Amino acid sequence: MTELAHILAVDDDASVRRMLQILLTSAGYRVSLASTGEEALAYLELLTPDLVLMDVSLPGLSGRQVMERIKANPDRPFTPVILITGHSDQEAKVAALDAGADDFLVKPVDLTELLARVRAMLRLQRSQRSLRAEQRKTELLLHLTRELGTTLELDRLLIQFLNRLADAVGAVRASILALTGDQPRLFSSTNNRPTIPLRDILGQGVAGWVIRERKPLIIDDTREDTRWIAMNAQQRAVRSVAAVPLVREGRVLAAITLVHHTPGYFNHDHLELLNAVAAQSAIALENAELFHLTRTQRDLLERRAEELQRINQVSRYLTELMSPDQLLRLVVHLIHHTFGYPLVAVVLREDERLVLSAAAGSVIIEQMIGQAILPDDSVAGRAIAQREPYHVADFLRTDCHPPTGMERSVRSELAVPIQTARQVFGALSVMAYTPDTFGDADTRLLSTLASQLGIALDNARLFNMEQRRVRQLGMVNHLSLAMTARLDAAENLTIAARAIASVFEVEACGIVLTDPRLQGMRDLVFATEATRDRLPWRHLTEISVLSGPQVVSVDDALLARCADDLAAAGVTALALAPLLASGKQIGLIALDVSGQVQQFQSTDLTLLETVASLLAQVIENARLYREVEDERSTLGAVLRSAADPILLIDPQNRLLLANPAAENRLRLTGAIGQFIDHAVDNLDLLRALNGATHNGQSMAEVMLSDGTTFNVSVAPVRGADDASIGRVAVMQDITAIKELERAEQERLRAVFRRYVSPQVVEEVMAGGGEFGAPQECDIVVLFADIRGYTSLAEGMAPQVLVNQILNRFFTAMTEALYRHDGTVDKFLGDGLIGVFGVPIARDDDVPRSLRAAVDLQLAFADLRNVWRRDLGLDLGMGVGVAYGPALVGNIGSPQRLDYTVIGDVVNTANRLSGLARADQIIVSHRLVDALMPEHNLPWQLRPIGPVTLKGKHEPHMAYEILY
């Protein structure tokens, strides 16, 4: 369909406008009307007519001024202007033509002439516009050729090209749908983002049809063609479309599309221009595609090189030997900062659990370190289970869950297993706050890092094992040196048990001797504090002869006789090693390896066998040495002199000289010429005398059997030829210094006696350790309170009150507590607090506390009889006893510390004491519940029902002792 020529008629006379409209419409033209110059210019801003008929005399802007503005715009398409005037003079005509008018008519206008002039001007307009189109086509091709040589940037090239193309053909918009690269891309001269999915354009739209059919297309009216897809007002305003494919060597590279708001705007001339442009732009597009591909490959190589450099940076740290914890903390922070992942975490397998071992990226996830991770619902758990990377693009679309506490923030996660050929250690995980964050490149990167991390973890664990083995060997070496002493002494074997426990990193170790030749040490147990009274040692001594060390479970037939006792003690497995001397078992070593069976490897059993062999040999040597000592009973002489003893020993270890002091103090009379090993019976002294080095001297402290302590200094003695002629030993008496040290021990005993009985003091001193360090434990608290004390104190002289009542009361109560190994926590104004279970806890603390409570009442009864006789007073005492956890130890300021107890159990005992009547003992139900069936008490515990205690919300069940 050919579009009608469009004429704009401008005249201020309505009748003239009407006449022109009728005449021109009848002649087959499309007519628009304007009454003023301003209205005409406004119309021309919107549309470009093919011809303008305009009266010269117009209100406001004249026709001549309007024409000058039309002709002054070089970008406007050629539009002929015919001026109509009522002046017939030649000057008016010349002036109009000089001003730019293309023709001139004088009123009254002959209608036939008018139509002839219109046809002539339209022919001129078409010729001019055709010429202009050819000119723009030439310019467009010239600019395109020039730009092809100046840039290979695809985006920049296409945008510039589309702008020039749209301008050259007068199109509203030009676009290219390019098929270069991995994905199709749409470029537009308006720089607008596409609102229609590209798959729809390729499947149903104009560009897709042109690409499939490989031929150009013109749509005169989009309202009659479904290939034009309109989704918004701008697209619905399009009426005509022209499109051509860009083909290069048989391959379709793209499709060019032009659009216009005027129906039938595009013709075959436009297609010819588009085809010419397409031929050159196809070459440019292919070159730009090659350039883009080259640059993409270069960028990819640069990114890969940078990524490889970062991986190498992380790998350098992974090759350093460090502990697994240090390694993991370092790796997650390196990955977080080096590769920019928002959240990084490492989950490791620990037995049957998955534990978050290291994390970086946020305070929340770092605070979760050490927490267990659900194996089935977590990304890391699935990666570990499947032994391959596991990716969740969006947690909102999966049944997996992010780490606890981060459900609302984390949207995507990628986890790869940390593994070697032998085992899976765990998983390396990265998380992000947005969905669809991770791709194949991240999977490859994390897999590389996880593989190296697996090797590093394997190396770190091997390194830890070797370090542990070195520590063990060092401790065994120290143990072997310590075992050169007389290890038949009970305390020395106990020290050996503690040392063996340290070597194998267990809490419980025991040494049992069964050889009858070991005299009084047979069937004795030397164990760490954790096992001394807990394990059934007597049954263990009855185990049949072991051929070598082995790990035995409690359900093994070997432990059948003591399986129940071991299970009750919480033991599930023991490592046993026989002590063999001359092919005979003289005892065994037992280690509690409950929960450590997998970690207790064959190398540990070999080391345990070595320790057992060494210990057995030392015990056997000690036994033989005692026999030798018994045969050398004459070696008890003491050096005579009271001054410092001096000894000279020759290189063959014979005694050459002993001064009178040495003969007197060391009893060496007649020992001259003897070997020093025969002359001296003190092993510590012998070690000191044999301690001189080849180039220097040694010093050691030695205590003699009479309690005297000497500082022994031994130095080599050389002759004139610098040859060794022996060594000299000088012994300085430092007994007084040692006495000061013992006085300090007595001072500590005096401090302890403020709280506990002398027997308990000795146990505490023998146990060693730091006395008074606060610790939480279950204890029994006993409150004893005199009834009627307040009224008594108001009417009695202070001297009588203190001397006759309080001092007698505290003395009797303290003695009663000490008789049952109780501890005095503190004295109150009219009562006291006693404690059982600290500083030494015993299995019978509960029944002893009840016996002590009864003993307190009996002792108070004796006091009451005295007070009734001497002072005429009849006093009573109530006792409350409670059981439960409390904090026990030295509490206070650096200036003043008190060994005391703090806890709810103290308050409970106090409240029960307040409820007790005179001579009554009220006991908490928790203490009654703690009584074992074998604890037979000589009195009855009668329940007195739930009682209300001050400060307690719930009633408390209490009992009364009927003594």
Side-chain angles (χ1 to χ4, degrees):
M1 179 181 71
T2 303
E3 183 75 18
L4 299 177
H6 182 200
I7 299 174
L8 175 62
V10 185
D11 200 299
D12 58 340
D13 189 336
S15 60
V16 174
R17 292 198 303 272
R18 179 62 180 164
M19 181 271 294
L20 290 175
Q21 184 179 28
I22 294 172
L23 176 65
L24 296 174
T25 301
S26 300
Y29 300 111
R30 186 160 56 93
V31 180
S32 297
L33 302 175
S35 59
T36 65
E38 289 81 1
E39 185 179 351
L41 290 176
Y43 186 87
L44 289 169
E45 290 295 327
L46 299 176
L47 293 176
T48 301
D50 297 308
L51 175 66
V52 178
L53 283 173
M54 185 163 49
D55 189 9
V56 173
S57 300
L58 293 174
L61 290 175
S62 66
R64 184 173 166 180
Q65 291 174 318
V66 173
M67 180 198 63
E68 289 175 348
R69 294 195 182 188
I70 294 174
K71 297 298 184 178
N73 187 354
D75 294 328
R76 182 181 300 279
F78 174 70
T79 303
V81 177
I82 300 177
L83 288 179
I84 302 175
T85 181
H87 303 282
S88 59
D89 57 288
Q90 190 66 22
E91 289 185 3
K93 183 176 181 179
V94 172
L97 293 175
D98 287 342
D102 297 286
D103 206 346
F104 188 86
L105 290 175
V106 179
K107 295 179 182 179
V109 178
D110 182 74
L111 298 182
T112 304
E113 181 184 4
L114 173 63
L115 292 176
R117 296 289 184 94
V118 167
R119 288 193 294 273
M121 288 297 102
L122 288 176
R123 287 194 296 274
L124 177 62
Q125 180 259 0
R126 285 194 290 272
S127 298
Q128 287 289 339
R129 288 193 178 182
S130 176
L131 180 62
R132 183 69 178 272
E134 288 297 324
Q135 180 183 1
R136 290 195 174 187
K137 174 181 175 181
T138 304
E139 290 177 354
L140 177 65
L141 294 176
L142 178 63
H143 283 297
L144 180 61
T145 303
R146 183 181 303 137
E147 288 171 355
L148 290 178
T150 59
T151 179
L152 289 174
E153 293 284 349
L154 184 62
D155 294 5
R156 178 182 170 190
L157 173 67
L158 292 181
I159 295 300
Q160 292 177 351
F161 163 69
L162 292 172
N163 286 330
R164 294 191 180 277
L165 179 60
D167 180 65
V169 299
V172 174
R173 186 171 62 255
S175 63
I176 288 182
L177 181 60
L179 301 181
T180 58
D182 298 334
Q183 299 292 334
R185 300 175 65 192
L186 182 66
F187 300 89
S188 173
S189 60
T190 58
N191 267 333
N192 292 334
R193 294 177 60 87
T195 58
I196 304 174
L198 295 184
R199 62 177 179 273
D200 293 343
I201 297 177
L202 287 170
Q204 307 168 24
V206 171
W209 187 89
V210 168
I211 290 172
R212 289 193 302 274
E213 300 298 327
R214 298 193 174 197
K215 58 185 181 181
L217 171 67
I218 290 180
I219 297 177
D220 291 324
D221 194 339
T222 58
R223 292 170 293 187
E224 300 174 358
D225 198 314
T226 60
R227 288 173 292 187
W228 178 253
I229 303 173
M231 301 293 291
N232 54 35
Q234 183 182 23
Q235 294 161 349
R236 285 191 288 270
V238 172
R239 289 293 176 265
S240 58
V241 180
V244 295
L246 274 68
V247 182
R248 173 69 175 167
E249 296 180 354
R251 184 166 69 97
V252 179
L253 302 179
I256 301 177
T257 303
L258 302 176
V259 299
H260 200 277
H261 295 155
T262 304
Y265 179 82
F266 298 110
N267 52 41
H268 291 287
D269 292 337
H270 294 113
L271 284 185
E272 182 181 353
L273 172 63
L274 286 178
N275 285 325
V277 169
Q280 292 198 33
S281 58
I283 300 173
L285 193 62
E286 185 177 47
N287 292 338
E289 178 188 9
L290 292 175
F291 173 75
H292 177 71
L293 179 62
T294 303
R295 188 174 64 179
T296 302
Q297 293 292 335
R298 183 196 65 193
D299 294 341
L300 179 61
L301 289 175
E302 290 178 353
R303 287 197 303 271
R304 289 291 173 82
E306 182 180 359
E307 186 177 280
L308 183 60
Q309 183 179 5
R310 292 176 177 177
I311 293 175
N312 290 335
Q313 179 183 359
V314 176
S315 300
R316 284 197 297 271
Y317 288 104
L318 292 178
T319 57
E320 296 183 7
L321 290 177
M322 61 184 74
S323 69
D325 290 341
Q326 291 176 318
L327 176 66
L328 294 177
R329 287 197 301 269
L330 176 63
V331 166
V332 296
H333 283 282
L334 279 176
I335 295 176
H336 170 60
H337 292 291
T338 304
F339 298 100
Y341 290 115
L343 298 173
V344 184
V346 171
V347 175
L348 293 187
R349 297 172 61 181
E350 293 185 4
D351 297 329
E352 301 300 324
R353 302 190 311 153
L354 299 182
V355 177
L356 181 63
S357 301
S362 78
V363 176
I364 295 177
I365 196 171
E366 291 177 9
Q367 290 175 343
M368 296 166 55
I369 294 175
Q371 294 185 10
I373 302 297
L374 295 177
D376 298 329
D377 296 339
S378 64
V379 177
R382 295 188 181 184
I384 294 171
Q386 299 174 13
R387 304 193 70 165
E388 62 182 18
Y390 195 88
H391 179 213
V392 170
D394 190 348
F395 279 109
L396 300 181
R397 303 194 300 265
T398 181
D399 58 346
C400 266
H401 301 287
T404 303
M406 308 198 72
E407 295 89 349
R408 296 184 178 179
S409 56
V410 171
R411 290 289 300 275
S412 57
E413 182 175 358
L414 170 64
V416 296
I418 303 171
Q419 58 187 341
T420 61
R422 296 182 299 175
Q423 68 179 117
V424 178
F425 294 101
L428 172 62
S429 170
V430 293
M431 290 162 274
Y433 303 111
T434 55
D436 303 310
T437 303
F438 307 112
D440 295 338
D442 300 292
T443 303
R444 291 192 297 270
L445 171 63
L446 289 185
S447 297
T448 301
L449 294 173
S451 175
Q452 296 188 10
L453 181 56
I455 297 173
L457 273 178
D458 200 19
N459 292 338
R461 293 189 175 182
L462 291 174
F463 178 66
N464 273 2
M465 290 174 58
E466 290 304 315
Q467 282 191 319
R468 178 173 178 264
R469 186 69 56 217
V470 169
R471 289 195 303 269
Q472 286 180 323
L473 293 176
M475 295 171 70
V476 169
N477 182 51
H478 288 299
L479 177 62
S480 66
L481 294 176
M483 286 192 302
T484 58
R486 297 180 58 178
L487 288 179
D488 53 337
E491 59 271 17
N492 289 330
L493 283 179
T494 301
I495 294 173
R498 286 199 295 266
I500 295 173
S502 298
V503 169
F504 294 99
E505 299 176 354
V506 298
E507 293 184 0
C509 172
I511 300 170
V512 181
L513 302 180
T514 59
D515 188 355
R517 295 177 299 170
L518 296 176
Q519 300 175 3
M521 295 180 63
R522 182 187 178 188
D523 294 345
L524 288 183
V525 177
F526 309 93
T528 57
E529 290 76 1
T531 58
R532 183 178 294 116
D533 301 321
R534 189 162 61 90
L535 299 185
W537 296 108
R538 297 301 178 189
H539 292 306
L540 289 176
T541 61
E542 298 172 3
I543 293 177
S544 59
V545 175
L546 299 172
S547 59
Q550 56 186 293
V551 176
V552 184
S553 175
V554 292
D555 54 5
D556 192 282
L558 188 64
L559 301 177
R561 297 191 59 180
C562 54
D564 293 340
D565 294 332
L566 289 172
V571 177
T572 59
L574 291 176
L576 302 176
L579 298 176
L580 302 175
S582 302
K584 182 179 179 181
Q585 182 169 320
I586 63 173
L588 60 84
I589 300 174
L591 302 175
D592 181 4
V593 292
S594 302
Q596 305 180 46
V597 175
Q598 294 182 351
Q599 291 85 350
F600 209 83
Q601 303 171 358
S602 58
T603 52
D604 293 298
L605 288 177
T606 302
L607 185 61
L608 180 59
E609 183 178 23
T610 301
V611 172
S613 175
L614 177 62
L615 182 60
Q617 190 61 47
V618 171
I619 293 174
E620 180 68 7
N621 289 343
R623 182 187 66 79
L624 295 174
Y625 182 77
R626 284 198 309 275
E627 293 179 358
V628 173
E629 275 192 325
D630 293 340
E631 294 175 358
R632 298 175 59 192
S633 59
T634 57
L635 298 178
V638 181
L639 295 177
R640 292 191 302 259
S641 175
D644 292 340
I646 300 175
L647 302 175
L648 181 62
I649 305 167
D650 71 5
Q652 286 72 38
N653 220 27
R654 288 191 295 264
L655 182 61
L656 295 180
L657 176 66
N659 71 338
E663 290 182 354
N664 183 40
R665 299 301 296 273
L666 300 180
R667 295 198 294 270
L668 294 179
T669 302
I672 302 301
Q674 296 182 8
F675 287 100
I676 194 65
D677 293 338
H678 299 164
V680 177
D681 62 350
N682 187 300
L683 290 177
D684 292 334
L685 178 57
L686 283 176
R687 280 197 294 271
L689 294 176
N690 293 327
T693 62
H694 180 71
N695 295 319
Q697 63 181 28
S698 67
M699 299 182 67
E701 290 184 7
V702 175
M703 178 181 288
L704 300 184
S705 57
D706 61 356
T708 306
T709 303
F710 286 93
N711 184 25
V712 180
S713 176
V714 182
V717 179
R718 301 185 179 280
D721 57 354
D722 201 31
S724 175
I725 61 174
R727 58 190 183 276
V728 62
V730 178
M731 302 172 59
Q732 182 182 5
D733 190 345
I734 58 172
T735 305
I737 299 175
K738 291 300 178 181
E739 285 296 329
L740 291 176
E741 294 178 356
R742 281 190 286 274
E744 177 63 17
Q745 292 290 322
E746 288 303 320
R747 187 190 67 80
L748 290 176
R749 283 186 174 87
V751 172
F752 294 165
R753 289 192 188 102
R754 293 174 52 194
Y755 307 104
V756 296
S757 64
Q759 295 85 349
V760 176
V761 168
E762 295 307 319
E763 289 187 51
V764 173
M765 295 293 292
E770 182 180 358
F771 176 78
Q775 58 180 340
E776 186 174 354
C777 56
D778 289 332
I779 64 171
V780 179
V781 177
L782 182 150
F783 251 86
D785 182 68
I786 299 175
R787 296 294 177 262
Y789 173 81
T790 303
S791 59
L792 174 68
E794 291 177 353
M796 184 174 289
Q799 290 294 337
V800 175
L801 181 64
V802 172
N803 295 329
Q804 298 298 321
I805 296 179
L806 291 182
N807 286 348
R808 287 183 177 182
F809 169 75
F810 291 139
T811 301
M813 298 302 103
T814 300
E815 291 173 352
L817 278 175
Y818 282 0
R819 282 195 295 272
H820 299 277
D821 291 334
T823 298
V824 176
D825 177 54
K826 62 173 60 71
F827 294 134
L828 307 174
D830 55 347
L832 79 161
I833 302 175
V835 183
F836 291 81
V838 292
I840 296 177
R842 295 182 174 84
D843 293 339
D844 62 341
D845 283 331
V846 172
R848 277 191 300 102
S849 67
L850 296 179
R851 293 187 180 93
V854 174
D855 202 358
L856 287 177
Q857 286 288 18
L858 296 177
F860 188 86
D862 293 339
L863 279 177
R864 181 170 50 199
N865 292 333
V866 174
W867 291 332
R868 186 182 295 129
R869 183 191 65 225
D870 297 342
L871 302 174
L873 298 175
D874 190 5
L875 301 177
M877 180 180 71
V879 177
V881 189
Y883 176 80
L887 185 68
V888 183
N890 287 330
I891 298 174
S893 67
Q895 293 80 11
R896 177 180 173 83
L897 290 174
D898 276 334
Y899 185 86
T900 186
V901 296
I902 294 178
D904 185 66
V905 65
V906 181
N907 296 330
T908 302
N910 184 22
R911 300 293 185 262
L912 293 174
S913 172
L915 292 176
R917 300 185 306 274
D919 303 334
Q920 189 179 24
I921 303 173
I922 296 181
V923 181
S924 169
H925 70 90
R926 292 192 181 92
L927 185 139
V928 175
D929 294 341
L931 281 170
M932 302 300 292
E934 62 269 25
H935 293 153
N936 296 322
L937 298 176
W939 337 277
Q940 181 183 354
L941 289 170
R942 181 177 65 85
I944 62 176
V947 296
T948 300
L949 302 181
K950 185 178 179 181
K952 302 289 184 180
H953 297 291
E954 300 293 334
H956 193 89
M957 186 65 188
Y959 294 78
E960 177 184 8
I961 299 179
L962 301 179
Y963 62 95

